[in-house]
Amino acid sequence: MVKSWRFYRFMIGLALYALLAPVLAACAPAAPAAPTEIVLGAALPLTGGQAREGGYFKKGYELAIKEINDAGGIMVKEYNKKIPVKLIIYDDKSDNTTSVQLYEKLVTEDKVHALLGGYGTPLISAHTVVPEKYQVPYVNGGGATGEIYARNMKYIFGLLASIEKLAHTLMDWMAEQQDAGKLKKPVTIAVVGENSSHGKEFRKGVLDKAAAAPDRFKVVMDEPFELNLKDADPLLQKLKAANADVFLADARIADYTTIHRRYTELGLSHLIVSYGPRGTEKAARDALGAAADYIVSCNWWHPDIPTPEAKAFAEKYQKAYNERPEWFPALAYETARVMAKAIENAGTLDKTKVRDALAKTDLKPSLVVGGRVWFEANGQINNDYVMMQNLPGGKVALIYPKSVATADAIVPIPKK
Amino acid sequence: MSIDLPALIVSAVLLAGLYATMSYGLALIYGVMKIVNLAHAGVMMWGAYAAFLLVARLGVNPFLAPLLIVPLFFGLGILLQRFVVRHVMSAPPISSLLLLFGTWLIMQNIAYLLFSGDTRTITTPYTLLTLKVAGFAISVNRLLVFVVGVVALVSLQRFLGHTYLGKAIRATAQDSAASQLVGINTDRIMEIAFGIGTALAALAGTLMALIFAFDPDFGRSHLLKSFCIVVLGGLESFVGVALGALVLALAEALSILAVMPALQDFISFAILVIVLIVMPGGLMGLIGKLKPKGVLR
């Protein structure tokens, strides 16, 4: 059989291709080599005063990263592959200076691609200067105070709505109680807050809302008080003299316990009592017993929020750690997920592009209240809070907003 | 807005009992050994946790808990003095300050390891109970704490004034060298004084834990308040300490008539500065000056 010239030409071409292909491939512009892992870092208060909360954050971060790695890692379009995540967590010992040093170490020695936040306003205020200085994208789920986000920083993002918004939520809920005829109108308010940026923002939130609706609210007492209160009597004597209908306070657990014990001993009563984000904590309820019943509180998350995402997280967490989650690990878990999503959306590990992707975050469904994570221009989320009311027998009801409420609020508080 | 002044004064007097109890130990140790015991805050904190363990875990009556806590901390105080503090007694004051500051930090970190940073409270059968006396709602817990504080003062005064050991402690406080010359074993006396001071600090911690929530950082702000009281009282007098505690508690309580409650600590430290400048001998020094002139008898 005589082969045609066309056949020989084809065979020669094939042989040349086989011979030259590796050489040509070697001369082509190289695609970027994918890193073997994406390094995320955080410094958490694992010992010292904030050890309990820091421990919860560690659990939340680790749970999220395990899930991401079990699914193969984060998809990075630039390398067209999923890259597993390595999480480095250091202990800042609840100390501001150590926290700053550890974030420096994460950036300069560990060469992290992005940073996850610590816990608590003082630590976060201190260490956020590091990611901003080195232009490393940073997300936290443990700092709510507006002062963290008021410094015009570009690389800092946070998943906790502001303390002012917490106060606004309380006031909006009271307005709803007025409209339902359960609370008189106008209602007189005594507001006190710990002498910190947290307390100041809470009081400002109450005052702003009261000024905007003088037909609904009249503030008759507005006082800061010292942290770690040793004697609540002077404050409570002022409260008694103010003769307000509603008592709103912003306090840490220790001060909440001290104040409310004396409040009860002095026989004070109001139509509504709130200590801001405090109220449902087991330690305080054990210390106060029935005196803590009917206190309303406002928080960032609760495992009873009736959404599939919140429920799924609560189950996963329970299974992993054999305990019911508080808001700390939930927000930590979502913080890590937000960072992973931003890297995926950026399609690269370029820090500026990941930062830009963070700024455009629109994560839904999410387990946060409202089911969506996005950031305002200052880097802070502006989602809803969930309000709770302590009920007798150590129970808690979600009372506001309606989308997550599990019961109607009991207003006014029954006289004891 | 009219403040219930009598109720405020009653509350301040009750608080003064607690303030005095937390300051006696500091005054005793300074009086005898001339060192400022910065570990006082750590001992108060450990006293609070000891009460927590006894009351919350073992079900001991909170007002009987001091019967176990006081001897235990007396022994710990003796050991601390013998094996730690004694070695810096003749060194410059900064050495004992740093040593005891370090001791406080160690105590604090041990507490973090053992109990974590969680806020703890002790709930007693009397928590939230009040007595109505002459129209005032008086907390049973606070009243009992006040009574224990007064009993501690009276016992201390009687011990120092009417026992050989007490007189030896006073003699050592006045002049250590002269005490040695008359045969007092001042090393032993210093150990005992440090033991009593430590036991008093632990007693104060136990009582405070019945009123306040606490964590391993507990005692820091109370230590500063104790300094004010001891300086106000005249550094080495227990009656002065009690008076100083009363003056400070009243000043803080009544200050709300003029300033906001957040400035209570400011009041304490303003008093400290003024006393150091105007009457460095404190209230007892002032009383001593007035007596010879017949102003005070």
Side-chain angles (χ1 to χ4, degrees), chain A residues 144-363:
Chain A
T145 313
E147 71 169 29
I148 296 168
Y149 307 95
R151 295 173 293 175
N152 202 26
M153 290 179 163
K154 301 287 179 218
Y155 283 76
I156 311 304
F157 297 87
L159 260 72
L160 295 187
S162 71
I163 301 302
E164 260 185 78
K165 175 131 187 181
L166 186 155
H168 292 171
T169 305
L170 266 170
M171 299 293 274
D172 290 343
W173 169 75
M174 287 203 296
E176 199 179 272
Q177 302 309 304
Q178 288 175 325
D179 293 342
K182 291 161 90 175
L183 190 63
K184 64 186 191 181
K185 191 175 161 185
V187 69
T188 54
I189 298 172
V191 56
V192 303
E194 62 176 38
N195 199 10
S196 67
S197 53
H198 204 285
K200 279 176 198 157
E201 287 180 23
F202 178 82
R203 287 167 44 228
K204 182 176 181 301
V206 171
L207 294 175
D208 287 350
K209 277 280 180 179
D215 56 321
R216 286 182 180 275
F217 308 116
K218 188 179 172 204
V219 176
V220 293
M221 175 183 170
D222 167 34
E223 291 281 354
F225 62 85
E226 59 168 328
L227 283 169
N228 302 317
L229 207 58
K230 284 162 285 298
D231 182 18
D233 280 45
L235 182 75
L236 293 175
Q237 288 297 345
K238 270 200 164 181
L239 175 67
K240 189 177 172 186
N243 201 25
D245 299 316
V246 169
F247 174 45
L248 303 180
D250 180 65
R252 295 173 192 199
I253 295 181
D255 286 333
Y256 154 46
T257 311
T258 301
I259 294 171
H260 202 67
R261 268 189 174 173
R262 279 307 280 157
Y263 176 97
T264 309
E265 287 170 353
L266 291 169
L268 300 178
S269 70
H270 292 85
L271 303 179
I272 292 171
V273 175
S274 177
Y275 288 85
R278 306 294 168 213
T280 59
E281 294 81 1
K282 188 179 178 303
R285 292 200 75 170
D286 287 347
L288 295 165
D293 291 346
Y294 306 107
I295 285 176
V296 292
S297 54
C298 205
N299 215 310
W300 295 276
W301 191 80
H302 192 276
D304 289 343
I305 291 174
T307 62
E309 292 73 31
K311 204 177 160 196
F313 173 74
E315 282 169 4
K316 270 186 284 194
Y317 187 86
Q318 177 81 37
K319 195 176 164 195
Y321 300 112
N322 198 27
E323 64 187 22
R324 200 159 188 254
E326 294 188 36
W327 71 265
F328 311 101
L331 266 294
Y333 173 86
E334 205 61 349
T335 297
R337 276 197 348 120
V338 164
M339 182 58 89
K341 195 70 188 163
I343 293 171
E344 192 178 304
N345 289 345
T348 172
L349 294 175
D350 179 275
K351 293 182 174 70
T352 307
K353 287 179 181 160
V354 173
R355 179 263 157 216
D356 293 344
L358 271 173
K360 290 179 198 155
T361 294
D362 190 1
L363 180 72

Side-chain angles (χ1 to χ4, degrees), chain A residues 47-52 195 220-221 223-235 237-242 253-255 257-258 260-262 264-267 283-284 286-291, chain B residues 1-4 7-8 11-12 15 19 112 116-119 121-124 126-130 137 139 141-142 209-214 221-222 225 249 252-253 256-257 259-262 264-265:
Chain A
T47 54
Q50 310 278 2
R52 178 175 163 270
N195 199 10
V220 293
M221 175 183 170
E223 291 281 354
F225 62 85
E226 59 168 328
L227 283 169
N228 302 317
L229 207 58
K230 284 162 285 298
D231 182 18
D233 280 45
L235 182 75
Q237 288 297 345
K238 270 200 164 181
L239 175 67
K240 189 177 172 186
I253 295 181
D255 286 333
T257 311
T258 301
H260 202 67
R261 268 189 174 173
R262 279 307 280 157
T264 309
E265 287 170 353
L266 291 169
D286 287 347
L288 295 165
Chain B
M1 194 188 286
S2 66
I3 303 281
D4 186 350
L8 203 59
S11 149
L15 185 70
Y19 277 4
Y112 275 123
S116 79
D118 287 0
T119 302
T121 52
I122 294 175
T123 307
T124 73
Y126 327 106
T127 304
L128 305 178
L129 268 186
T130 51
S139 155
N141 236 10
R142 284 185 177 234
L210 301 176
I211 296 176
F212 305 113
F214 55 93
S221 56
H222 299 93
K225 204 140 279 193
E252 282 181 352
I256 63 152
L257 299 173
V259 298
M260 61 178 79
Q264 275 179 298
D265 273 351

Side-chain angles (χ1 to χ4, degrees), chain A residues 74 76 85 97 131 140 177 190 219 225 276 279 325 336 342 354 358 402:
Chain A
I74 301 172
V76 185
V85 178
T97 312
N140 79 77
Q177 302 309 304
V219 176
F225 62 85
V354 173
L358 271 173
K402 277 202 175 85

Side-chain angles (χ1 to χ4, degrees), chain B residues 84-166:
Chain B
V84 180
V85 180
R86 175 178 289 179
H87 302 288
V88 294
M89 286 298 295
S90 52
I94 189 71
S95 302
S96 61
L97 268 179
L98 288 175
L99 180 79
L100 289 162
F101 182 60
T103 307
W104 174 18
L105 292 182
I106 290 169
M107 294 172 92
Q108 208 176 40
N109 280 286
I110 290 173
Y112 275 123
L113 280 174
L114 293 177
F115 303 104
S116 79
D118 287 0
T119 302
R120 313 275 179 172
T121 52
I122 294 175
T123 307
T124 73
Y126 327 106
T127 304
L128 305 178
L129 268 186
T130 51
L131 285 177
K132 280 273 179 191
V133 181
F136 300 116
I138 296 176
S139 155
V140 173
N141 236 10
R142 284 185 177 234
L143 189 62
L144 288 171
V145 165
F146 177 78
V147 169
V148 174
V150 171
V151 168
L153 173 65
V154 173
S155 309
L156 207 57
Q157 282 295 95
R158 290 199 66 79
F159 167 73
L160 292 173
H162 296 90
T163 63
Y164 172 78
L165 198 56

